[in-house]
Amino acid sequence: MSRAWQAVRPLLLPLLVFIVVFVGHMLFYKIVSQNSSPIWWRLYVLTQTYMISFSLALAFAFGAYALGKARGQSGKAVAGSAGVALLVWFTSACGAPLIAVGLGLVGVGFGSEALPPWVTAVLTICFISFGVYWLHRKGGACATACAAKAGENAGLFREIGVDLDKFGAQQCVTGELYERTFAAQQNRPAGMAYFDEMAGDIYGARMREIIAAKKEGRVVVGNFCVFVPEELTLAVDGISVGLCAGSQAPVSDAEKVLPRNICPLVKSAYGYALTKSSPYFQVVDFVCGETTCDAKKKTWELMDREIPTHVMEIPQMKRERDRDLWLAEVKEFKAKLEQQSGKTITPEALSKAVAVMDAKRGSLQRLNALRHHRPSPISGRDALLVEQIAFYDDPVRFTEKVNVLCDELDKRVQDGVFAAPSQSRRIMISGSPMALPNWKVHNIVEGAGAVVVNEESCVGTRYFSQNVAQSDEDMDSMLLALTERYMQINCACFTPNEGRIEQIIREYRDSRADGLIHYSLQFCHTYLIEAVRIKEACAKESIPFLAVETDYSTEDTGQLQTRIEAFLEQIGGQR
Ligand code: BJ8
């Protein structure tokens, strides 16, 4: 979309509204004045009634503009925009007589209860100018650092084809959610400042880095699954970003194309691609999808129309021949990267990439182990944020920052500084991934005074639990070792999936949790059905268990809160 069109588009509806209201008021005047042409027209001009038509039309056009700006924004922004529109309307056009009445009450009169039409027009222009200013200062920018920084990058984003209108509106939703989730926490580790900055500026500094790298010719790959070996992307000096999306903002756009009753993660991601509203989707050279579930598998066919899409076939069982299938897929992905980047992956480059990823996983393993201390030195919300940032940040810098945070947490444990009192109930969460900015369940659990101490999730231990085994330094052995590392991931797409049940019980014990919440995204059949077996395993192990199914909207928050609070009370009673 051209720059001029992007600037003009939001003004089209207000312009139409202006014309319709102006003409409508003029005709209305003609009817009520009961004069036949051309007398009514002269009167219309002589009594300056056209000023009233103008004021009314301007006020209505502003209302349309304000509502257009607020569309897709947070509740607060919508309410704010509507408030300003109403204020402007009441204090100008039709409100002008009311002002005259008010002024009359305090002794300032105009000889009749209505203001002269030209005063009405001037007042309307003044109030609307204030309204436009307010909308851009408060509603449009949503007072978030993120939106402000996005504005700084507008030129860069335009270059990669981002729809800035959509992008701005979605940022407001995320920014406000972020403030609600993290700002309210007390006594946070100083090391979280880096991750806060990253989250608040996710479309700022990191995005500029990626765009700059792309301009230098480095390949950028978008991933949707932790099965995709990031090591291979690093081995061509490429950049890997996780594109699983956790925001409700693009879902309604996606639902214009996709069926409503599929997983919100898929709808959110597809919505971003469709509306060109995320710089991350716009910057990638290609995305790598996989066949873990039907929703994803079939969405790739549509995604390919928006962004070139490479699909890896993930086996659904873990036999010898399934491992061979995955090895073949890994080799094909390697070839795709080599062709895209024009570089050949050498054993040295791959070995270096494996070391980078193992160090990254090692830092996350360390963080997770620290959370298992009773009481935990870091909240679940903070730990989840770190795990989510792992999918965006430069891996070497990220590892360094996680280790700095862990050093601080070590010290906190020694000094007895904790995220929650020792009697707080400890919850482990297991199930579907929670992509940025999905903090819904953690927010509810920790808002109720408990602390989340482990996530058996792809934004959690499934991402970082296993390192790559040592192998010979030839390419075939290295690719086999890589394949075997990834085949250990216990996604619910596998059948049978005993490994995941064992992993959950082990992590539950290691994390010293008091209860397990199984979290499924709506319509995620694999996790929803597997929850039945996990519930049985928990009953056998006397582990308090609760299964929740939810999406990215806030509609069910109250209901979830009631269920989770009742669960926490039940655990409290059992301890
Ligand atoms: S390894 S969990 S990242 S597929 S998209 S399966 S939530 S219905 S994300 Fe996943 Fe890889 Fe498995 Fe992990 Fe369900 Fe939604 Fe499908 Fe999903």
Side-chain angles (χ1 to χ4, degrees):
M1 202 187 301
S2 79
R3 207 172 156 164
W5 171 244
Q6 278 198 18
V8 163
R9 202 179 59 165
L11 301 177
L12 290 183
L13 181 66
L15 187 67
L16 185 71
V17 170
F18 181 91
I19 294 169
V20 169
V21 175
F22 192 98
V23 174
H25 186 256
M26 200 164 70
L27 294 177
F28 175 74
Y29 176 81
K30 180 184 176 199
I31 293 164
V32 293
S33 67
Q34 291 178 337
N35 274 312
S36 58
S37 177
I39 302 296
W40 77 270
W41 171 248
R42 263 196 231 136
L43 271 176
Y44 182 72
V45 174
L46 281 175
T47 56
Q48 292 183 359
T49 309
Y50 61 88
M51 290 279 192
I52 300 293
S53 302
F54 167 81
S55 305
L56 255 185
L58 203 60
F60 272 98
F62 174 74
Y65 177 74
L67 288 178
K69 272 261 157 227
R71 194 160 50 97
Q73 292 186 10
S74 62
K76 219 167 157 182
V78 173
S81 303
V84 174
L86 221 62
L87 179 76
V88 166
W89 200 78
F90 267 112
T91 50
S92 53
C94 271
L98 297 180
I99 294 182
V101 171
L103 291 174
L105 285 177
V106 291
V108 182
F110 287 90
S112 82
E113 75 275 16
L115 294 174
W118 68 269
V119 177
T120 298
V122 171
L123 268 179
T124 305
I125 292 169
C126 291
F127 280 113
I128 284 176
S129 304
F130 162 75
V132 171
Y133 165 79
W134 192 94
L135 273 185
H136 282 270
R137 278 296 299 272
K138 294 283 184 189
C142 210
T144 65
C146 190
K149 284 180 178 151
E152 286 168 19
N153 292 326
L156 272 184
F157 292 172
R158 243 182 242 119
E159 271 178 40
I160 56 172
V162 175
D163 180 330
L164 290 174
D165 276 351
K166 287 265 181 198
F167 170 71
Q170 291 172 2
Q171 280 329 290
C172 286
V173 179
T174 305
E176 195 183 307
L177 193 62
Y178 170 77
E179 277 160 30
R180 263 210 319 268
T181 307
F182 294 95
Q185 291 187 85
Q186 305 289 323
N187 193 22
R188 299 175 72 209
M192 281 307 297
Y194 172 76
F195 301 98
D196 283 341
E197 177 67 22
M198 272 295 289
D201 195 23
I202 198 90
Y203 296 109
R206 179 61 181 146
M207 201 62 230
R208 286 195 295 275
E209 254 177 28
I210 297 177
I211 294 174
K214 186 172 166 142
K215 283 182 178 165
E216 284 165 19
R218 290 173 66 189
V219 65
V220 185
V221 184
N223 295 328
F224 290 96
C225 181
V226 297
F227 258 86
V228 177
E230 288 176 58
E231 288 85 348
L232 292 171
T233 307
L234 295 186
V236 291
D237 195 26
I239 293 177
S240 171
V241 288
L243 294 185
C244 279
S247 167
Q248 175 70 8
V251 167
S252 57
D253 282 307
E255 283 176 345
K256 290 176 190 155
V257 179
L258 294 175
R260 294 171 67 92
N261 54 353
I262 61 169
C263 155
L265 185 149
V266 172
K267 284 190 284 190
S268 181
Y270 180 68
Y272 276 128
L274 187 71
T275 56
K276 312 211 177 307
S277 54
S278 164
Y280 282 94
F281 280 77
Q282 291 307 115
V283 79
V284 296
D285 290 292
F286 69 94
V287 296
C288 184
E290 18 58 46
T291 57
T292 39
C293 67
D294 290 350
K296 277 183 163 180
K297 186 165 68 185
K298 297 308 290 179
T299 300
W300 306 141
E301 295 168 19
L302 303 178
M303 180 74 85
D304 193 41
R305 297 177 188 172
E306 313 300 329
I307 306 169
T309 304
H310 173 86
V311 181
M312 295 178 82
E313 183 179 351
I314 294 204
Q316 313 275 287
M317 297 176 85
K318 290 190 175 177
R319 301 157 304 183
E320 192 72 15
R321 61 176 184 267
D322 300 308
R323 192 206 60 188
D324 291 346
L325 166 68
W326 189 236
L327 178 60
E329 291 294 317
V330 168
K331 286 181 175 169
E332 196 177 280
F333 182 54
K334 172 176 171 281
K336 165 83 186 167
L337 284 163
E338 289 177 330
Q339 172 248 321
Q340 187 83 36
S341 64
K343 293 180 180 146
T344 304
I345 297 180
T346 61
E348 295 71 41
L350 184 53
S351 164
K352 207 172 137 208
V354 168
V356 168
M357 285 306 296
D358 275 352
K360 179 179 176 182
R361 291 187 277 256
S363 68
L364 287 165
Q365 289 159 14
R366 185 178 167 207
L367 174 64
N368 208 43
L370 277 157
R371 296 172 72 188
H372 297 172
H373 188 277
R374 187 168 200 137
S376 175
I378 183 168
S379 71
R381 277 170 286 187
D382 281 347
L384 177 63
L385 183 66
V386 174
E387 290 167 342
Q388 290 170 331
I389 297 289
F391 292 89
Y392 296 89
D393 202 0
D394 170 77
V396 175
R397 182 178 54 211
F398 175 83
T399 304
E400 196 190 302
K401 296 296 180 186
V402 176
N403 280 323
V404 168
L405 174 66
C406 289
D407 291 344
E408 184 187 350
L409 298 184
D410 268 331
K411 174 103 181 27
R412 279 186 150 216
V413 171
Q414 280 166 21
D415 298 347
V417 179
F418 301 111
S422 56
Q423 69 277 14
S424 302
R425 284 139 304 177
R426 298 165 64 84
I427 295 299
M428 170 169 150
I429 292 185
S430 165
S432 304
M434 293 168 167
L436 197 77
N438 178 5
W439 303 303
K440 191 174 183 177
V441 171
H442 281 58
N443 238 343
I444 296 174
V445 171
E446 299 203 332
V451 60
V452 179
V453 291
N454 198 83
E455 291 86 18
E456 185 274 328
S457 154
C458 286
V459 183
T461 55
R462 285 201 295 272
Y463 177 60
F464 57 74
S465 280
Q466 303 90 7
N467 284 358
V468 180
Q470 287 287 338
S471 67
D472 291 339
E473 291 288 296
D474 64 282
M475 187 54 79
D476 283 346
S477 310
M478 291 174 84
L479 288 178
L480 188 59
L482 204 57
T483 300
E484 280 176 343
R485 186 262 161 205
Y486 281 90
M487 284 297 284
Q488 289 175 54
I489 297 170
N490 294 314
C491 175
C493 69
F494 286 97
T495 184
N497 201 19
E498 294 305 320
R500 177 161 175 243
I501 295 171
E502 285 160 19
Q503 182 182 343
I504 289 172
I505 304 295
R506 189 174 59 248
E507 287 181 12
Y508 181 85
R509 299 287 176 222
D510 289 349
S511 61
R512 301 186 175 99
D514 302 315
L516 186 128
I517 296 182
H518 191 275
Y519 163 84
S520 270
L521 284 172
Q522 249 177 19
F523 308 112
C524 176
H525 301 144
T526 52
Y527 282 92
L528 281 166
I529 297 172
E530 200 153 275
V532 175
R533 297 204 50 214
I534 293 165
K535 184 179 180 185
E536 289 165 1
C538 284
K540 222 157 122 199
E541 297 280 331
S542 306
I543 295 174
F545 176 92
L546 174 73
V548 297
E549 178 187 356
T550 182
D551 60 10
Y552 294 164
S553 73
T554 49
E555 277 163 28
D556 63 349
T557 305
Q559 192 201 23
L560 269 183
Q561 203 166 342
T562 308
R563 290 186 62 211
I564 289 174
E565 283 173 2
F567 179 63
L568 294 176
E569 253 173 50
Q570 175 204 332
I571 295 172
Q574 283 175 15
R575 282 201 311 169

